[in-house]
Amino acid sequence: MKYSIVNNVKHPPFKGGVGICACCGNETVAKCGNFKVHHWAHKSRKHCDPWWENEGEWHRLWKSYFPVESQEIIFKQPETNEKHIADVYIKQTVIEFQSYSIKEDEARIRESFYNNMVWVVDGCKSEFDKIYFHQSVYTPHTDDVYLRKLRWVGRGKILAKWSKSTKPVFIDFGTDLVWHLLQFDPKTKHGLVKAIPKEDFVNSFGGKYT
Ligand SMILES: [Zn+2]
């Protein structure tokens, strides 16, 4: 995690730091090594959010566009006491940044847990997907300059997989744009995507793209 509670405030990790996890209330220790992104780790993760994954630079960068008070927000299901940490919660919307591969059924469970949410997916986990994506898109004859049709030429399943989402999906292929996946038919491999400048995307949620 990027934040733990230290002296009652949300605190980033610092050398030798000890804090309290805002989700489970257990002790966390700051990890400020040279190789991994600095983070807080639990001594025991047993009672904390099983959905939580270690974050890389991509994940951290995206979170940093949003105010600290909107990052790592705990959601609790009142009946079951199930708790999860949303990456960002702002303007009554959860934004989940997904860099590792998530199983489809797990993705659907998260969508129903958070309900009002969008996904931002790291499209650069496989170096081929982004190459194939840019080979697949073409401009339809419309007035909307940001709209692209596509015929997927790649072997990767990134579009097929995320087309099953019940919530909006925005894919980051490592440029200054995110691609809103509007339609994709896994059988014909035809689809429709819309380019959104990252700055506009972040601003629309009240964040700041820097
Ligand atoms: Zn915890």
Side-chain angles (χ1 to χ4, degrees):
M1 288 170 300
K2 186 177 170 187
Y3 296 104
S4 251
I5 308 298
V6 180
N7 295 328
N8 293 317
V9 290
K10 256 170 124 170
H11 211 293
F14 57 97
K15 260 214 159 89
V18 175
I20 300 292
C21 172
C23 184
C24 66
N26 286 320
E27 198 170 75
T28 54
V29 287
K31 301 282 182 185
C32 300
N34 295 326
F35 299 106
K36 277 193 187 168
V37 172
H38 291 186
H39 64 282
W40 292 97
H42 291 78
K43 285 188 173 164
S44 159
R45 282 245 344 224
K46 230 194 265 172
H47 301 292
C48 203
D49 183 357
W51 295 353
W52 194 260
E53 288 291 321
N54 290 335
E55 299 176 328
E57 300 282 354
W58 178 86
H59 207 132
R60 275 295 168 85
L61 185 63
W62 266 106
K63 270 161 74 162
S64 72
Y65 299 146
F66 299 91
V68 172
E69 59 271 22
S70 308
Q71 297 179 37
E72 299 188 357
I73 304 300
I74 319 292
F75 278 72
K76 189 170 158 183
Q77 225 273 350
E79 288 100 60
T80 59
N81 267 349
E82 186 179 342
K83 280 201 252 181
H84 295 290
I85 310 166
D87 282 326
V88 166
Y89 179 62
I90 195 163
K91 291 201 171 182
Q92 288 164 9
T93 307
V94 166
I95 311 176
E96 280 287 273
F97 302 104
Q98 200 57 36
S99 65
Y100 75 100
S101 172
I102 182 172
K103 285 191 185 123
E104 282 174 23
D105 51 351
E106 203 184 313
R108 295 303 85 76
I109 290 168
R110 285 194 207 187
E111 289 167 359
S112 65
F113 182 84
Y114 290 128
N115 188 32
N116 200 14
M117 71 162 290
V118 302
W119 295 100
V120 175
V121 175
D122 184 357
C124 298
K125 288 307 269 189
S126 146
E127 62 177 305
F128 296 111
D129 283 342
K130 65 179 175 192
I131 297 167
Y132 287 136
F133 178 78
H134 290 109
Q135 290 173 352
S136 298
V137 288
Y138 59 95
T139 310
H141 299 288
T142 69
D143 292 335
D144 190 338
V145 292
Y146 290 112
L147 209 58
R148 297 281 185 280
K149 282 189 173 182
L150 65 84
R151 193 187 164 274
W152 183 244
V153 296
R155 269 175 298 165
K157 300 234 184 297
I158 185 166
L159 298 186
K161 181 177 162 178
W162 286 101
S163 68
K164 290 173 191 149
S165 176
T166 62
K167 305 293 176 186
V169 174
F170 301 86
I171 306 177
D172 177 4
F173 285 107
T175 65
D176 279 332
L177 303 166
V178 282
W179 293 89
H180 187 181
L181 182 59
L182 297 171
Q183 286 169 21
F184 185 73
D185 181 342
K187 281 193 191 116
T188 64
K189 300 194 173 183
H190 285 275
L192 188 67
V193 288
K194 185 167 184 164
I196 300 168
K198 278 181 182 167
E199 190 170 5
D200 293 356
F201 178 86
V202 170
N203 288 346
S204 73
F205 285 103
K208 204 171 163 199
Y209 185 64
T210 46

